[in-house]
Amino acid sequence: MQHFIVIGNPISHSKSPQIHHAFAKHTGLAISYQRQFCPDDKDSFVAVVQAFFHGGGVGANVTLPFKEIAYQLCADTGNLSDEAACAKAVNTLAIKDGKLYGDNTDGRGLVADLIGQGVSLASSDVAIVGAGGATRGAILPLLKAGARLTIYNRTLTKAQSLATDFDALSKHPLSIKTLDELMRAKHDVIINATSATTHGQHLDLGDCQANFAYDMMYGKPSAFLAHFAAQNAKICDGYGMLIHQAAYAFELWTNHAITADCLSQLKTA
């Protein structure tokens, strides 16, 4: 029996246990995957991680609000994947070569879901709304897929810091624009990486147009997606991203890849 957890606050809503138990059934592995509530402070998070791995745990997922703390813990005491180092956030923990190892599978999960939805990212004009951790985690995988990125954010200085960090990795410099400019924009693909949907807030999209709209959030009505659905654009929420990022984590922990058929079944379950 291999033991896994997802650490967060709140955590009762997490669908990760169902997803990973489905992966285990598909691959014939015996696992236990539990939700782990953690008080919202660094010391508590570090204590939970240490107790889990010292007790024989194999892998842990990390969700809000601990991804940045997990990054710093791995940076200080262990190692990081390229994706986690660029994102400055960790959503997957494991032990590699005797040290804590942090990965970020969110962006790869996003790209995999977009491609699975039939989106061609190579040389596509892709916009991301927001400049927080979710955007930072998505940029490197999107650039690797060949996308040309525009980031819209209320605070330009925050978005410009992203451009400074990632421009050296991109064939095309990241374009930085204000939310006011979003209202007149048109893109091949537009991604909502803000928490507006989670909090029931409305982004002022004006006359913004896109061929494909993606909201990283899932499980709640999305005014963002409704705006583009009214234009007959193709729309998608972030549930597929959740499944794909989980599959990358599962493979890291177990060396078992999840088949496309299994992923498809989970998306439609």
Side-chain angles (χ1 to χ4, degrees):
M1 177 72 73
Q2 299 182 68
H3 292 272
F4 306 93
I5 56 174
V6 55
I7 309 168
N9 182 348
I11 198 60
S12 61
H13 67 286
S14 175
K15 294 185 178 181
S16 291
Q18 298 97 301
I19 293 170
H20 283 278
H21 282 120
F23 291 164
K25 182 178 180 180
H26 175 73
T27 55
L29 297 178
I31 75 164
S32 170
Y33 189 112
Q34 304 293 327
R35 300 177 185 91
Q36 177 63 60
F37 176 84
C38 180
D40 187 5
D41 65 85
K42 179 181 177 180
D43 289 344
S44 295
F45 177 79
V46 171
V48 166
V49 170
Q50 290 177 342
F52 174 71
F53 285 109
H54 288 167
V58 174
N61 283 132
V62 180
T63 188
L64 296 175
F66 299 115
K67 292 183 182 183
E68 288 78 15
I69 295 175
Y71 162 80
Q72 197 59 56
L73 178 62
C74 293
D76 291 342
T77 66
N79 296 303
L80 294 159
S81 69
D82 289 343
E83 287 80 7
C86 286
K88 296 184 180 178
V90 161
N91 79 328
T92 302
L93 293 169
I95 300 295
K96 288 184 68 173
D97 302 322
K99 290 186 176 181
L100 190 65
Y101 177 80
D103 195 4
N104 190 311
T105 65
D106 285 333
R108 278 173 285 159
L110 168 67
V111 167
D113 194 33
L114 286 169
I115 292 172
Q117 297 288 336
V119 177
S120 176
L121 291 170
S123 298
S124 287
D125 178 13
V126 178
I128 307 179
V129 185
T135 295
R136 180 175 281 277
I139 289 176
L140 182 60
L142 285 168
L143 291 178
K144 285 183 175 180
R148 291 179 285 111
L149 297 183
T150 300
I151 299 174
Y152 292 90
N153 198 56
R154 182 172 289 106
T155 307
L156 280 183
T157 53
K158 189 173 183 179
Q160 285 164 346
S161 71
L162 286 180
T164 300
D165 289 345
F166 285 97
D167 269 347
L169 303 174
S170 176
K171 295 179 181 178
H172 309 282
L174 275 67
S175 178
I176 304 302
K177 296 186 178 181
T178 66
L179 288 182
D180 286 342
E181 293 175 281
L182 176 65
M183 293 188 285
R184 302 178 296 278
K186 184 175 183 178
H187 295 278
D188 296 328
V189 179
I190 188 166
I191 300 165
N192 178 26
T194 74
S195 59
T197 298
T198 299
H199 299 300
Q201 298 170 342
H202 288 238
L203 293 167
D204 192 353
L205 297 168
D207 294 321
C208 183
Q209 299 178 45
N211 298 323
F212 188 100
Y214 193 99
D215 196 327
M216 286 189 183
M217 304 299 111
Y218 67 94
K220 290 188 176 182
S222 170
F224 175 84
L225 293 182
H227 171 89
F228 294 100
Q231 304 173 3
N232 294 318
K234 187 173 181 181
I235 63 170
C236 185
D237 70 11
Y239 185 57
M241 174 182 171
L242 175 72
I243 293 171
H244 281 285
Q245 65 81 21
Y248 286 118
F250 191 86
E251 183 174 356
L252 170 66
W253 296 329
T254 68
N255 290 318
H256 283 73
I258 305 302
T259 67
D261 285 345
C262 179
L263 294 169
S264 180
Q265 290 171 14
L266 275 171
K267 288 181 185 179
T268 57

